[in-house]
Structure formats: structure tokens, C-alpha cells
Amino acid sequence: MFGYVRILKEELTFREYEDYRGIYCSLCRRTGKRYGHVARMLLSYDMTFVAALRLALGAEPVVFCKGRCPYNPLAKRSCCRDSAVLDTVADMSLLLSYGQLQDTVADARGPKRWGAWVLTKWLKRAREKAAVRLPDLAATVEECLAAQAACEQTNASTDAAADATARMTAAMLTALSSDEREQRVLDRLGYCLGRWIYLMDAADDLEKDAASGNFNPFLTGEESPDFPALRKRAEGSLCACLNETISAYDLLDIRRFDGILRNILQKGCAANQMLVTHPERKVREINERSV
Amino acid sequence: MRDPYEVLGVSRSATDDEIKNAYRTLARKYHPDKYTDNPLSDLAQEKMQEINEAYDAIVKERRGGAGGGAGQQGGYTGYTGHAGSGRFADVRRLLAANRYMDAETLLDGVPAAGRDAEWYYLKGMVLYRKGWLDDALNHVQRACQMDPYNQEYRMFLNRMNGARGYGSTGSDNGMCDCCCSLLAADCLCSMCCR
């Protein structure tokens, strides 16, 4: 995952921010327990959103307590007292980030590729363990990565190109619930969010891909692309997708953390989107606008 | 039935105004206009019904069992396709039943020569439900070009274009944006601005 799905800190209350950090710490801790320290380095903000969603939908109460983090032992941090509910999210996170590493090994060049290669070797056992715990998701991730690679050979439309990531995210979110009604909403939410993430990554890499000749669904194969116009088009697609995501989210029965989740979807994602589609604007201006 | 106060998210000691406000906020959140053509529209409708019933129950209880509720029983009837008529009646029926993958199979079976404005509209609808929002827009635009005077296509196009800005469906955004765009589409809007 890419870390586009994150909070807009300025708009959170202190308490919500503290809770958000607590959720991150809990997920990190569980990942460490299950898959070791290297796996912890691969955690992303996107997965923190998934963890928050898991806790928000769960019937069990969430209790935070203070604890110390081995990486930053001076500061005390909140952490879920019973963070075992996040085990599934830790498994998902590992499967997805491993898939992404494989993708990097296949696509990237230079030191980035070697780094990813070393990590895939290091995490091979961990990935096998996660695949035993979530066999369906592991199969979906593998299938989607293959579909993605095939799609990039054929100059696909934005929708077709985003389909694999979208389906993968939908499969992941659907696995958070066992209620059929909730699963339908999560499927739509996940599909739109995954599509948004993929398109964000594509919009972010427009210039890089145009220079290197890599596949990008927003590029139309011209000699000298008109980047502002392409970004404008991308912004429309991204907005439509994010609005669709929020409409789906509105139908969930959220027990807690609604403020955090709404902040992420309505403000954090929108601010990130603004950063990507208007690179000429300064970060501060964007924060002012999104209020 | 769930406790009506719990459904509206208010305490039993809340004032009438607080209850009304809570109801309005929720009604905005689940408003059928927001979920027109959405694959989750039936769930939104269920939610809307639940809050309507809860509001009615509270009003009734507070008036000592007398008088009917003031909840919105809007004229919304879910997907309003003209099922049963025209060339693509079967496709429209499948769409109404939310079986959009089957509808797509049927549509894809139509040879290129037989693809008229309605075909592009329905294909756009299928793509929208699948979450293929860009291709959906392209198809509906095509439908509107082929048949510029069709209200049904035009309204779908307006909705899709309206969703391409920031916060178009944000629940704290009010209904007015949505109403304005609907009015622009020559739509009667008497049921949502109360």
C-alpha cells in the first residue's frame, strides 16, 4: 500500500489523535509479535485505516493503556490493551506489503529492487504463515497481481487498470466482517478506496512515468503530454471515486472512531489528493482550503 | 424493533428540537437522492425507513399516543427504470434486481450495429455499479450525444458530473447542492427540501 489514506492532523481533536496513534501502535505491536521486527517496518497508514475500521465495526470494547515502544522508549504511547483483535489486520498487512514487494522486484531497477528482493527473501516464511491464516486473501492478492501485470501490457483504461488493486482492497475489507449486509457495504467501500489508491499512485507518478515510458493509465501516449490537463482529468476521477467511497462508508454501523475515520476519508484523503493534483500549491494553502 | 432513541443516537432526555435535528442529520446521510443507481441503494432505503419509523415512534410517544408521525415517507420507490418495456427490458429488470454482472453479459452480447443510445446508457449504468466510474461517464456521455433530449440519460449524466468535485456527497454539506443540480436537470424537487 502507498500511505495515501491518512489523517489530516490539524482537524482531529487531541483525543482522536491520541487514539489514532494508539491504533497504529497496536497494529505495529501485533505485527511484531506475529511476524517479527522486519515486518513492522512495512506497516503503512493505509493499514492503520483498516485497523481503525476493524475496531470501529467490532462489538468488543476497545480499551487503551499506556505502554513503551522499543523503538522510542522515552515516550509513552497509548496501545490497545487487548490488541489480538488486530491479528487479522496484521495478516492482511503482511500479505499486501509482500505482494507489493514482489511487484517492486518485478518492475523497479537499481538499489530499490535489491532492497525489495532482500526483504522478500527475509519475509518468505512470514508470508507463508500469513497465507495459511488467510488463504482466500492470499489467493486473491496473487491473482490480482498477475492481472495487474497483464493489464499493464495492454494499455488499459483507468478503470481496467485500477480493477486489480480495487478488487484486492475489496477482498481485504470484506474479510473484516462476517455479516452479509456489512460485507456488501465493505465490498463497495473497498473497491472504491482501492481504486482511489491506485489512481492516486498513477497521478502522483505522471511525470516520472512519462519520462521513463512506464505504463500509466492517465497517459495517452502523446509526445509532450499536457500535465496540468492530465492532472485535471485525474482530479475528476479521484473526486468521483472518493465521493463514492464516502457514500458507502455512510451506510456502515460505526460503533466508535467515527471522527477519525471521517477525518481520514473526507479530509485527509482530499488533502492528499489536492497535493498530488496541484503540485504547484503549497501544503499550507491546501490545509487552509480543506477546512 | 430497536429502541427508537438508539436509532437516532439521542438520549431519552433529549428535547424535541434535538431529536428533530438528529433525525434531519440522519435523513440527509441516508437520503435516497444520494444513492440513486447505487448498488447499495436498497440498504440506504432500509436505513431511511428505520429512522423514519424511529422518529414517528418518538413523536407518537411524546404526544401521548395521539397524532401521526411527521417522518418523511417520501415518494421514493428505489430504482425507477421503465422495466417491462422497450428493447432492453430484461437488462433493466436485472439492474433493478442488482444483478449487474448478468446485465453486462446480456449487453455485451449485443452486436456493435445494435448499440443505440439506450445501450450506452445501460452499459454506463452497469459500469457505474461495478465501480468503473470513468468508463461509465464515457458511456453516458455517448448516450446523451446520440439522444440529447432524453431526460433519463441527461439526469444520470448530471449526477455523474456532479460527483466529480470535492465534497459532493459529504454529509455535512447539506442537501442544497444536490437539489440545485436536480433542479437544473428539470427535476421536480418537492420531496427533498422540507
Side-chain angles (χ1 to χ4, degrees):
Chain A
M1 292 299 208
F2 310 91
Y4 293 119
V5 186
R6 59 169 80 179
I7 50 167
L8 185 65
K9 192 174 154 191
E10 293 83 341
E11 297 279 325
L12 280 179
T13 63
F14 278 102
R15 190 206 174 115
E16 284 168 341
Y17 181 60
E18 191 65 17
D19 287 352
Y20 181 73
R21 293 232 297 209
I23 296 167
Y24 182 87
C25 286
S26 315
L27 180 59
C28 183
R29 187 172 282 209
R30 278 331 281 185
T31 308
K33 277 237 166 71
R34 271 163 108 79
Y35 299 112
H37 288 286
V38 177
R40 290 172 95 150
M41 296 187 328
L42 297 173
L43 274 188
S44 70
Y45 284 113
D46 301 350
M47 288 313 295
T48 314
F49 171 78
V50 178
L53 192 60
R54 166 67 187 82
L55 294 174
L57 293 173
E60 60 286 292
V62 177
V63 184
F64 283 110
C65 60
K66 291 274 177 188
R68 286 192 196 277
C69 168
Y71 297 102
N72 191 356
L74 291 180
K76 272 193 158 184
R77 291 282 153 80
S78 300
C79 183
C80 290
R81 201 170 59 194
D82 179 25
S83 55
V85 290
L86 292 178
D87 281 350
T88 322
V89 183
D91 301 343
M92 291 171 176
S93 165
L94 192 98
L95 284 175
L96 260 75
S97 39
Y98 192 86
Q100 216 186 353
L101 285 174
Q102 284 177 313
D103 201 39
T104 313
V105 172
D107 286 348
R109 264 156 279 173
K112 204 173 158 194
R113 180 169 183 266
W114 306 334
W117 184 81
V118 170
L119 281 175
T120 50
K121 293 293 159 210
W122 189 282
L123 291 171
K124 202 162 186 289
R125 290 259 324 272
R127 198 255 163 203
E128 277 162 18
K129 248 189 337 192
V132 171
R133 284 164 176 157
L134 293 175
D136 291 346
L137 186 66
T140 311
V141 169
E142 224 161 84
E143 185 258 314
C144 287
L145 286 175
Q148 181 77 61
C151 197
E152 292 182 358
Q153 306 296 324
T154 58
N155 253 348
S157 73
T158 47
D159 291 317
D163 189 57
T165 313
R167 278 192 294 127
M168 205 156 74
T169 318
M172 176 170 74
L173 291 198
T174 313
L176 291 180
S177 170
S178 50
D179 175 61
E180 199 188 327
R181 190 190 162 281
E182 213 161 60
Q183 280 182 342
R184 266 185 67 198
V185 182
L186 287 170
D187 184 58
R188 179 82 175 172
L189 174 66
Y191 191 92
C192 294
L193 190 65
R195 185 176 181 274
W196 184 84
I197 292 171
Y198 178 85
L199 294 182
M200 274 290 279
D201 190 47
D204 210 0
D205 289 345
L206 262 180
E207 267 143 19
K208 221 172 75 193
D209 289 342
S212 68
N214 278 351
F215 171 78
N216 189 309
F218 289 118
L219 288 174
T220 42
E222 291 156 24
E223 269 299 298
S224 53
D226 175 11
F227 287 117
L230 289 176
R231 279 205 197 89
K232 182 106 194 110
R233 202 190 129 217
E235 193 176 25
S237 300
L238 287 166
C239 278
C241 202
L242 199 54
N243 287 331
E244 218 36 63
T245 312
I246 295 166
S247 294
Y249 173 81
D250 279 342
L251 293 177
L252 286 172
D253 287 320
I254 297 293
R255 287 192 168 86
R256 53 187 82 81
F257 303 139
D258 188 47
I260 299 175
L261 293 165
R262 270 188 197 284
N263 173 285
I264 294 175
L265 290 177
Q266 292 179 335
K267 300 195 168 132
C269 287
N272 266 334
Q273 187 180 304
M274 202 92 86
L275 269 176
V276 166
T277 50
H278 299 277
E280 72 284 357
R281 264 193 209 144
K282 295 210 171 56
V283 179
R284 227 189 75 222
E285 263 177 77
I286 285 166
N287 284 342
E288 280 165 8
R289 257 210 67 153
S290 62
V291 171
Chain B
M1 191 182 149
R2 265 170 75 195
D3 174 28
Y5 289 91
E6 199 185 306
V7 172
L8 295 187
V10 290
S11 73
R12 288 191 166 272
S13 57
T15 63
D16 288 357
D17 278 347
E18 279 166 2
I19 288 170
K20 202 177 237 175
N21 279 338
Y23 168 73
R24 281 205 179 133
T25 312
L26 287 173
R28 210 175 281 160
K29 191 168 156 187
Y30 303 129
H31 200 275
D33 286 351
K34 226 175 92 184
Y35 293 95
T36 322
D37 305 323
N38 195 300
L40 304 175
S41 63
D42 56 319
L43 299 179
Q45 220 174 333
E46 268 171 33
K47 288 268 188 195
M48 194 75 190
Q49 200 172 349
E50 196 183 17
I51 60 163
N52 280 340
E53 279 167 12
Y55 186 69
D56 285 350
I58 294 175
V59 170
K60 214 170 172 180
E61 181 195 300
R62 293 199 169 194
R63 282 188 192 154
Q72 296 185 359
Q73 297 291 341
Y76 182 69
T77 49
Y79 178 71
T80 49
H82 311 293
S85 66
R87 268 181 75 203
F88 295 110
D90 42 352
V91 175
R92 285 178 185 268
R93 257 195 302 278
L94 287 172
L95 272 172
N98 221 358
R99 288 168 56 192
Y100 49 87
M101 294 318 261
D102 296 333
E104 187 171 36
T105 316
L106 276 186
L107 284 172
D108 288 346
V110 176
R115 298 183 175 181
D116 56 1
E118 191 183 12
W119 187 89
Y120 278 99
Y121 165 73
L122 289 172
K123 177 82 184 183
M125 191 70 92
V126 166
L127 287 166
Y128 171 73
R129 304 233 179 153
K130 263 172 75 179
W132 288 41
L133 305 176
D134 290 355
D135 285 354
L137 182 68
N138 291 338
H139 278 77
V140 179
Q141 275 169 344
R142 182 87 189 259
C144 285
Q145 276 164 16
M146 290 165 93
D147 185 357
Y149 300 108
N150 187 305
Q151 281 295 315
E152 193 185 19
Y153 310 163
R154 180 66 52 187
M155 273 174 62
F156 186 36
L157 179 65
N158 285 344
R159 276 199 299 276
M160 303 239 4
N161 279 329
R164 297 202 154 232
Y166 285 92
S168 308
T169 60
S171 37
D172 52 359
N173 213 357
M175 251 179 272
C176 289
D177 287 353
C178 141
C179 283
C180 286
S181 62
L182 283 173
L183 277 170
D186 262 350
C187 163
L188 290 175
C189 198
S190 56
M191 66 186 202
C192 62
C193 289
R194 319 193 143 186

